[in-house]
Amino acid sequence: MAGMNILFASSEAAPYAKTGGLADVCSSLPKALAKENNVKVVLPLYSSIDLVKYGITEVMHGCCVHMGNCEEFYSLYHANESGVDFLFIKFDKYFHREGIYHTKAGEYGDNPFRFSFLSKAVFQVDKDIGFIPDVIHANDWQTSLVPYYLKKDNDPYYKNTSSVLTIHNIGYQGIFGTEFIEYAGISVDDMHDNAFESFGEVNLLKGGIAFADKITTVSPKYAEEIRGPIGSSGLHEILNKRGADLSGIINGIDADVWNPSTDRDIPYNFSVKSMGGKAKNKQELQKKFGLTERPDVALFGFVGRFADQKGIYLLQHAIERAMNEMVCQFVVVGSGEQEYEDFFAGIADRFPGECASYIGYSEELAHLVEAGSDFFVMPSLYEPCGLNQMYSLAYGTLPIVRATGGLDDTVDNYDESTGQGTGFKFSAISGQALFDTIGWAVSTYYDRPQHYKAMQLRAMGKDFSWIQSAKEYLELYASIEKRDGEIYV
Ligand code: ADP
Ligand code: GLC
């Protein structure tokens, strides 16, 4: 079914505001859908967004949303990118700040106010611009109130609109004290175990799961994992109650941004047919990070958030040992928890010329690491989908992954007897298991180069575009039979 009106509500969208994969998906999926549908994305106008660079202009001011017992006045800004209308809510009280969710000092204390305002404003924005969505697609806890408002407000403007909530990461649920519920318009009647209530607090994601018409997550494997007590971070009961409406659709990647043959962030473009540029990027990467410029050494990369989810302590253990016991190099790009930042900041001094890091966020370096490394390490404890392993595959950089969530769904394990596969997988949550798998990759690189090269080309030939997944979302949107007023759990 094509020609639908689709509205995305998100706290992030690339390239405007990004802390992780949520931003990539909330821009690349809308773009894929916009080929045959009318798609808009609503997000906050954070003060970090460069209006001039992105051609963002004001289209309306004096717009107003009713929150609790006050009126909040905002302006609306707009940019069109690849056929998608990005609508930015300018509301300085909440979004004129240094960070998106936090600063080094911690989370913003008013986050529940900020994001309930965003969720409510989504509905007013539609009216401001005269858009009637067939579906509103909310993402993560930040916009989890959208399905609730749609269901509870029963606004005739939205009589034919349904909601989808995508869970990108169940580890972040938006759990807060009750002080904001009046402002947010959450009824005390909905503070119970089948809606928002969780150990006396408000769990926004849980409420979203209760009220959304359909719930998706970002890989089929993760959709299974979150139905169990360990993978769900406590939400398995409500997810199982909503099981008939829960599904997993694997993320795609944005081929305009992550394509080695056209990538503008890397010095040398390359493709399956012409791999010469890959070796030159490796040399460039070694130069940039002050590593010994050796074309024949196995080079491992990591890019990501320094958070426990990403299995950083496994990486710490394995890097330390690999550097001492194997012939290999490591490049790490990331930021996050202080303890991890300190560890990786010091690594170049311990292994000069063979190991280096960049502590911070750099889109450009992320592209260079993907392009110049031989292997990419993702030892995540859990990974709803993961994008970097798909970027790696597209760049002929073989991923080393823990077999969890989307990592398991997207990487085919190497079979040493046949040479088949696109990467290396391990299961145990242990530094030893990661170390052993790095060893397996290193030995393949040196001892079975024909296998390594065949895997590279096979990986680059995989289709990670959004075509199939966008089709699945459209089918899902079209399948929803709106059940007015009915509460699902
Ligand atoms: P998550 O959303 O859990 O962080 P994903 O693998 O889905 O994990 O997406 C992470 C995205 O954020 C990728 O596009 C990755 O390149 C990017 N990223 C994470 N940390 C950094 C960093 N320090 N510098 C540049 N890009 C980063
Ligand atoms: C989350 C997940 C990641 C996923 C991304 C986009 O941040 O941690 O696995 O790829 O969202 O869906």
Side-chain angles (χ1 to χ4, degrees):
M1 178 173 169
M4 293 186 88
N5 283 350
I6 304 162
L7 186 113
F8 275 76
S10 177
S11 56
E12 300 182 25
Y16 312 108
K18 168 167 165 176
T19 67
L22 169 68
D24 296 72
V25 173
C26 289
S27 134
S28 54
L29 172 57
K31 280 189 209 167
L33 291 167
K35 294 199 166 71
E36 294 184 355
N37 301 275
N38 192 352
V39 188
K40 308 200 187 295
V41 180
V42 178
L43 76 160
L45 187 71
Y46 301 105
S47 44
S48 55
I49 298 178
D50 188 334
L51 301 186
V52 178
K53 180 173 172 192
Y54 297 120
I56 301 170
T57 52
E58 189 184 51
V59 288
M60 236 172 255
H61 62 271
C63 315
C64 175
V65 176
H66 185 80
M67 299 296 300
N69 57 9
C70 61
E71 311 290 340
E72 306 282 33
F73 287 90
Y74 64 93
S75 309
L76 195 60
Y77 283 62
H78 169 263
N80 187 288
E81 168 67 38
S82 308
V84 178
D85 286 311
F86 288 88
L87 295 154
F88 301 88
I89 297 175
K90 181 168 162 63
F91 186 57
D92 285 352
K93 180 167 99 177
Y94 289 153
F95 304 125
H96 190 87
R97 307 199 174 173
E98 190 190 329
I100 293 186
Y101 310 117
H102 53 79
T103 61
K104 282 269 175 211
E107 301 283 319
Y108 292 126
D110 58 355
N111 275 346
F113 293 84
R114 299 171 75 217
F115 293 105
S116 44
F117 163 77
L118 172 66
S119 302
K120 195 62 168 282
V122 162
F123 295 91
Q124 188 55 43
V125 167
D126 290 338
K127 293 181 178 171
D128 292 341
I129 61 168
F131 183 67
I132 304 178
D134 296 308
V135 60
I136 307 188
H137 192 146
N139 295 276
D140 276 350
W141 70 263
Q142 294 88 338
T143 47
S144 274
L145 279 167
V146 166
Y148 177 67
Y149 294 141
L150 184 67
K151 187 127 247 142
K152 295 301 260 199
D153 290 356
N154 246 329
D155 183 338
Y157 187 90
Y158 291 104
K159 66 178 189 309
N160 295 319
T161 304
S162 39
S163 67
V164 171
L165 171 67
T166 293
I167 302 169
H168 294 263
N169 191 334
I170 211 156
Y172 300 84
Q173 298 178 3
I175 302 175
F176 303 102
T178 53
E179 57 281 357
F180 75 103
I181 64 171
E182 196 186 334
Y183 178 82
I186 299 174
S187 161
V188 283
D189 295 342
D190 295 315
M191 279 298 291
H192 58 77
D193 194 37
N194 277 332
F196 291 97
E197 196 272 337
S198 177
F199 299 101
E201 297 195 288
V202 189
N203 184 321
L204 288 176
L205 189 66
K206 188 177 176 195
I209 292 167
F211 291 98
D213 292 312
K214 294 282 178 194
I215 304 130
T216 69
T217 186
V218 287
S219 68
K221 179 92 189 262
Y222 194 60
E224 278 169 34
E225 288 172 358
I226 59 175
R227 293 181 70 155
I230 296 173
S232 73
S233 300
L235 292 184
H236 54 286
E237 281 180 16
I238 192 152
L239 281 167
N240 281 312
K241 285 182 191 159
R242 296 294 323 269
D245 293 314
L246 168 67
S247 60
I249 301 178
I250 195 87
N251 287 332
I253 65 176
D254 188 340
D256 294 339
V257 183
W258 292 98
N259 179 346
S261 61
T262 54
D263 191 332
R264 283 186 297 267
D265 280 326
I266 58 175
Y268 303 99
N269 291 118
F270 60 99
S271 66
V272 170
K273 290 203 184 92
S274 154
M275 287 291 282
K278 179 133 181 95
K280 293 185 189 156
N281 287 316
K282 180 170 177 178
Q283 188 181 14
E284 201 61 33
L285 180 63
Q286 289 170 323
K287 194 182 290 171
K288 195 146 212 155
F289 279 85
L291 302 182
T292 319
E293 289 173 42
R294 292 162 59 192
D296 55 350
V297 68
L299 173 49
F300 291 78
F302 172 89
V303 178
R305 293 183 287 116
F306 291 155
D308 290 340
Q309 176 201 341
K310 302 293 176 184
I312 307 294
Y313 69 90
L314 308 186
L315 188 62
Q316 287 176 305
H317 172 96
I319 283 197
E320 198 81 30
R321 283 189 59 199
M323 294 317 298
N324 283 316
E325 297 174 36
M326 297 175 199
V327 180
C328 62
Q329 296 183 334
F330 259 96
V331 170
V332 173
V333 173
S335 61
E337 287 168 32
Q338 194 63 47
E339 162 202 353
Y340 295 137
E341 289 198 0
D342 295 344
F343 176 88
F344 288 110
I347 199 126
D349 293 338
R350 289 208 300 289
F351 305 105
E354 304 305 328
C355 199
S357 66
Y358 171 83
I359 308 302
Y361 193 93
S362 164
E363 206 61 50
E364 201 186 322
L365 285 181
H367 283 249
L368 185 61
V369 171
E370 292 291 7
S373 306
D374 300 305
F375 299 99
F376 193 93
V377 192
M378 286 183 83
S380 307
L381 306 188
Y382 73 94
E383 196 61 76
C385 179
L387 298 172
N388 276 311
Q389 83 282 10
M390 293 194 275
Y391 301 154
S392 303
L393 291 162
Y395 283 66
T397 300
L398 302 186
I400 292 170
V401 301
R402 204 177 86 73
T404 182
L407 299 178
D408 203 21
D409 282 340
T410 54
V411 177
D412 302 323
N413 202 14
Y414 173 45
D415 179 339
E416 213 173 296
S417 61
T418 62
Q420 288 301 310
T422 56
F424 300 82
K425 294 196 205 180
F426 65 99
S427 296
I429 301 183
S430 80
Q432 178 71 43
L434 173 59
F435 172 76
D436 290 344
T437 312
I438 288 174
W440 190 26
V442 166
S443 71
T444 306
Y445 185 80
Y446 294 124
D447 303 337
R448 293 174 296 283
Q450 73 288 7
H451 281 183
Y452 175 80
K453 289 199 180 90
M455 285 169 84
Q456 266 190 317
L457 300 182
R458 193 176 300 125
M460 291 172 79
K462 291 261 166 189
D463 179 11
F464 292 111
S465 72
W466 270 105
I467 297 172
Q468 177 56 27
S469 299
K471 199 168 146 255
E472 287 178 39
Y473 275 112
L474 275 178
E475 282 164 6
L476 180 80
Y477 298 156
S479 74
I480 304 173
E481 284 169 37
K482 202 169 180 227
R483 289 165 277 175
D484 274 336
E486 183 188 331
I487 303 301
Y488 296 117
V489 285

